[in-house]
Amino acid sequence: MITHYFYPILIVLLLTNTYLFSQNNLVESDTSKTLVKLNPKKAATLSAILPGLGQIYNKQYWKVPVIYGGYMVIGHYIKFNNEMYFEFKNALLMEVDGIESTINPFPNFSKSLLERNMEFWRRNRDLLIIFSGVYYLLNIVDAHVFAHLNEFNINEDISMKIKPSLKQINNSNIIGISVKFNF
């Protein structure tokens, strides 16, 4: 449980940390546009601190709702699977307790079927918890990779050149045609 001191401390740390929000982006001049070099380590660190912050640093604002929407969906299904797990667990306890006043809410389910359903919902809940950790790591990797890929020059020059070529292999000249693709 997060104490009431956590949020003010987090805000002070984020506002006073000059490393995270410093403006040391290098600008390269290109004839068509300027290219801002992003720091991949900084993008990954920001995404590790708060999911989506690295995407904001990379100026991929559209990814932030996708990230948090994914967390909401995963959280919903974790909650649903947990509720179903406890429902079948309580039904199993009511089935085996031997007290006649407690009635199993699933009268058509045997003890083994209740156990199987209980384990099914528990396993799904646990897998979703693991998946939420993987989703968190993918968020960090996405910010890191995009910061690396951002510095590549993307222009409209896609061309193919066909030229004659002369190669020397084993003291003999070979005449041919070379094809060069420029992406």
Side-chain angles (χ1 to χ4, degrees), residues 20-33:
L20 290 176
F21 297 101
S22 64
Q23 297 293 322
N24 26 332
N25 294 337
L26 302 175
V27 177
E28 255 182 40
S29 65
D30 189 2
T31 57
S32 62
K33 62 180 180 178

Side-chain angles (χ1 to χ4, degrees), residues 49 85 96 112 122 135 155:
I49 291 171
Y85 164 70
V96 297
S112 65
R122 183 195 55 79
Y135 191 70
N155 57 17

Side-chain angles (χ1 to χ4, degrees), residues 117-170:
N117 276 297
M118 182 183 77
E119 289 302 312
F120 172 79
W121 293 109
R122 183 195 55 79
R123 184 180 62 245
N124 285 350
R125 179 201 61 191
D126 294 348
L127 286 174
L128 281 168
I129 290 170
I130 292 169
F131 183 71
S132 68
V134 170
Y135 191 70
Y136 173 75
L137 292 176
L138 285 175
N139 160 53
I140 296 170
V141 168
D142 174 63
H144 183 79
V145 168
F146 182 80
H148 268 296
L149 294 178
N150 186 51
E151 63 191 52
F152 289 111
N153 185 9
I154 301 172
N155 57 17
E156 301 297 323
D157 183 23
I158 299 175
S159 60
M160 179 178 78
K161 294 179 183 177
I162 300 174
K163 300 187 327 187
S165 68
L166 177 66
K167 299 236 182 207
Q168 187 173 13
I169 299 175
N170 296 332

